[in-house]
């Protein structure tokens, strides 16, 4: 995946595709047999791992160098907080409803919400966009 995204001018479409595929694979896990559900959840996990390989370079390139380290630490902290809260939420939903479907629905919804959030990420600076550093002509004036 990184082979394609490194050559792309914008990584956000690749991130959106992997997140949508992850959501579309988690939702069908609520249907059919447990073996089908296991396969669907496995494929959803693969999609979310692909999304992670696209997200980290995108987040790193979209941040100013002065705040890159704290910004990436914040992204990592929010991800770790989700990893802490989601098992409790899934357990609560299973105890309340008697089914694990609620947790899978939330997993699908979180992936789709991440697609919307990815739309607002700053992409990498391309040759056509103005730089934040002053050019030689503006320094002479």
């Amino acid at each position: 995946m990184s082979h394609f995204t490194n050559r792309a001018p914008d990584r956000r479409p690749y991130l959106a595709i992997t997140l949508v595929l992850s959501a579309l694979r988690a939702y069908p896990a609520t249907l059919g047999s447990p073996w089908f559900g296991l396969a669907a959840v496995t494929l959803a996990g693969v999609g979310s791992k692909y999304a992670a390989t696209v997200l980290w370079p995108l987040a790193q390139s979209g941040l100013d160098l002065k705040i890159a380290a704290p910004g990436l630490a914040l992204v990592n902290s929010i991800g770790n907080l989700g990893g802490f809260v989601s098992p409790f939420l899934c357990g609560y939903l299973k105890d309340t409803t008697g089914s694990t479907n609620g947790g899978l629905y939330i997993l699908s919804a979180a992936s789709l919400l991440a697609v919307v959030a990815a739309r607002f990420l700053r992409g990498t600076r391309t040759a056509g966009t103005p730089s934040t550093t002053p050019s030689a002509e503006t320094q002479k004036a």
Side-chain angles (χ1 to χ4, degrees):
M1 182 59 121
S2 62
H3 175 74
F4 296 111
T5 61
N6 286 342
R7 292 189 167 98
D10 189 10
R11 289 184 167 116
R12 289 179 294 176
Y14 291 100
L15 179 62
I17 289 168
T18 57
L19 288 170
V20 167
L21 288 176
S22 179
L24 292 178
R25 291 172 182 159
Y27 178 76
T30 62
L31 313 169
S33 71
W35 289 107
F36 177 76
L38 176 65
V41 167
T42 301
L43 291 174
V46 169
S48 66
K49 288 299 177 184
Y50 275 145
T53 64
V54 177
L55 175 71
W56 285 109
L58 182 65
Q60 187 176 13
S61 65
L63 292 173
D64 186 53
L65 291 178
K66 296 174 190 169
I67 61 166
L72 293 175
L74 178 64
V75 170
N76 193 24
S77 298
I78 291 170
N80 287 335
L81 183 63
F84 177 76
V85 171
S86 66
F88 290 107
L89 180 62
C90 290
Y92 173 77
L93 289 172
K94 184 180 183 307
D95 289 344
T96 304
T97 64
S99 173
T100 58
N101 291 351
L104 293 170
Y105 294 146
I106 288 179
L107 178 64
S108 292
S111 292
L112 294 176
L113 183 64
V115 171
V116 173
R119 169 66 180 96
F120 297 106
L121 283 175
R122 286 192 325 189
T124 57
R125 190 177 312 130
T126 59
T129 58
S131 175
T132 57
T133 58
S135 64
E137 286 105 19
T138 58
Q139 287 180 353
K140 290 179 185 176

